[in-house]
Coordinates of all heavy atoms in Angstrom, one line a residue:
V56 N 14.8 202.6 235.9 CA 14.4 202.2 234.6 C 15.6 201.6 233.8 O 15.5 200.5 233.2 CB 13.7 203.3 233.7 CG1 13.6 202.9 232.2 CG2 12.4 203.6 234.3
I57 N 16.7 202.3 233.9 CA 17.9 201.8 233.2 C 18.4 200.5 233.7 O 18.8 199.6 233.0 CB 19.1 202.9 233.2 CG1 18.7 204.1 232.3 CG2 20.4 202.3 232.8 CD1 19.6 205.3 232.5
T58 N 18.5 200.4 235.1 CA 19.0 199.2 235.7 C 18.1 198.0 235.5 O 18.5 196.9 235.2 CB 19.3 199.4 237.2 OG1 18.1 199.8 237.8 CG2 20.4 200.3 237.5
T59 N 16.8 198.3 235.4 CA 15.8 197.2 235.2 C 16.0 196.7 233.7 O 16.0 195.5 233.5 CB 14.4 197.7 235.4 OG1 14.2 198.1 236.8 CG2 13.3 196.6 235.1
A60 N 16.1 197.6 232.8 CA 16.3 197.2 231.4 C 17.6 196.4 231.2 O 17.6 195.4 230.5 CB 16.3 198.5 230.5
V61 N 18.7 196.8 231.8 CA 20.0 196.1 231.7 C 19.9 194.7 232.3 O 20.3 193.7 231.8 CB 21.1 196.9 232.4 CG1 22.4 196.1 232.5 CG2 21.4 198.2 231.5
A62 N 19.2 194.6 233.5 CA 19.0 193.3 234.1 C 18.2 192.4 233.3 O 18.5 191.2 233.1 CB 18.3 193.5 235.5
L63 N 17.1 192.9 232.6 CA 16.3 192.1 231.7 C 17.1 191.6 230.5 O 17.0 190.5 230.1 CB 15.1 192.8 231.3 CG 14.0 193.0 232.4 CD1 12.9 194.0 231.9 CD2 13.5 191.7 232.9
L64 N 18.0 192.6 229.9 CA 18.8 192.2 228.8 C 19.8 191.1 229.2 O 20.0 190.1 228.5 CB 19.5 193.4 228.3 CG 18.7 194.3 227.5 CD1 19.5 195.6 227.2 CD2 18.3 193.7 226.2
L65 N 20.4 191.2 230.4 CA 21.4 190.2 230.8 C 20.7 188.9 231.0 O 21.3 187.8 230.7 CB 22.1 190.7 232.1 CG 23.1 191.8 231.9 CD1 23.6 192.3 233.2 CD2 24.3 191.3 231.1
A66 N 19.5 188.9 231.6 CA 18.8 187.6 231.9 C 18.5 187.0 230.6 O 18.5 185.8 230.4 CB 17.5 187.9 232.7
G67 N 18.1 187.8 229.6 CA 17.8 187.2 228.2 C 19.0 186.6 227.6 O 18.9 185.5 227.0
V68 N 20.1 187.3 227.6 CA 21.4 186.7 227.0 C 21.7 185.5 227.8 O 22.1 184.5 227.1 CB 22.5 187.8 227.1 CG1 23.8 187.2 226.8 CG2 22.2 189.0 226.1
N69 N 21.6 185.4 229.1 CA 22.0 184.2 229.9 C 21.0 183.1 229.4 O 21.5 182.0 229.2 CB 21.8 184.5 231.3 CG 22.2 183.3 232.1 OD1 23.3 182.8 232.0 ND2 21.4 182.9 233.1
A70 N 19.8 183.3 229.3 CA 18.8 182.3 228.9 C 19.2 181.8 227.5 O 19.1 180.6 227.2 CB 17.4 182.8 228.8
I71 N 19.6 182.6 226.6 CA 19.9 182.2 225.2 C 21.2 181.4 225.2 O 21.3 180.4 224.5 CB 20.1 183.4 224.3 CG1 18.7 184.1 224.1 CG2 20.7 183.1 223.0 CD1 18.7 185.4 223.5
T72 N 22.2 181.7 226.0 CA 23.5 181.1 225.9 C 23.8 180.0 226.9 O 24.7 179.2 226.7 CB 24.7 182.2 226.1 OG1 24.5 182.8 227.4 CG2 24.6 183.2 225.0
S73 N 22.9 179.8 227.9 CA 23.2 178.8 228.9 C 23.2 177.4 228.4 O 24.0 176.6 228.8 CB 22.1 178.9 230.1 OG 20.8 178.6 229.6
G74 N 22.3 177.1 227.5 CA 22.3 175.8 226.8 C 23.6 175.4 226.1 O 24.2 174.3 226.3
R75 N 24.1 176.4 225.4 CA 25.4 176.2 224.6 C 26.6 176.0 225.6 O 27.5 175.3 225.4 CB 25.6 177.3 223.7 CG 26.8 177.2 222.8 CD 26.8 176.1 221.9 NE 28.0 176.0 221.1 CZ 28.6 174.9 220.8 NH1 28.1 173.7 221.1 NH2 29.7 175.0 220.1
I76 N 26.5 176.9 226.6 CA 27.6 176.8 227.6 C 27.6 175.4 228.3 O 28.7 174.8 228.5 CB 27.4 177.9 228.7 CG1 27.7 179.3 228.1 CG2 28.4 177.7 229.9 CD1 27.4 180.4 228.9
E77 N 26.5 174.9 228.6 CA 26.4 173.5 229.2 C 26.9 172.5 228.2 O 27.7 171.5 228.6 CB 25.0 173.2 229.6 CG 24.5 173.9 230.8 CD 23.1 173.6 231.2 OE1 22.6 172.5 230.8 OE2 22.4 174.4 231.8
E78 N 26.6 172.6 226.9 CA 27.1 171.6 225.9 C 28.6 171.7 225.8 O 29.3 170.7 225.8 CB 26.5 172.0 224.5 CG 25.1 171.7 224.3 CD 24.6 172.2 222.9 OE1 25.4 172.4 222.0 OE2 23.4 172.4 222.8

Side-chain angles (χ1 to χ4, degrees):
V56 168
I57 290 171
T58 56
T59 302
V61 169
L63 290 172
L64 284 172
L65 287 173
V68 169
N69 184 51
I71 292 169
T72 60
S73 65
R75 181 67 180 142
I76 290 170
E77 286 179 27
E78 286 175 25

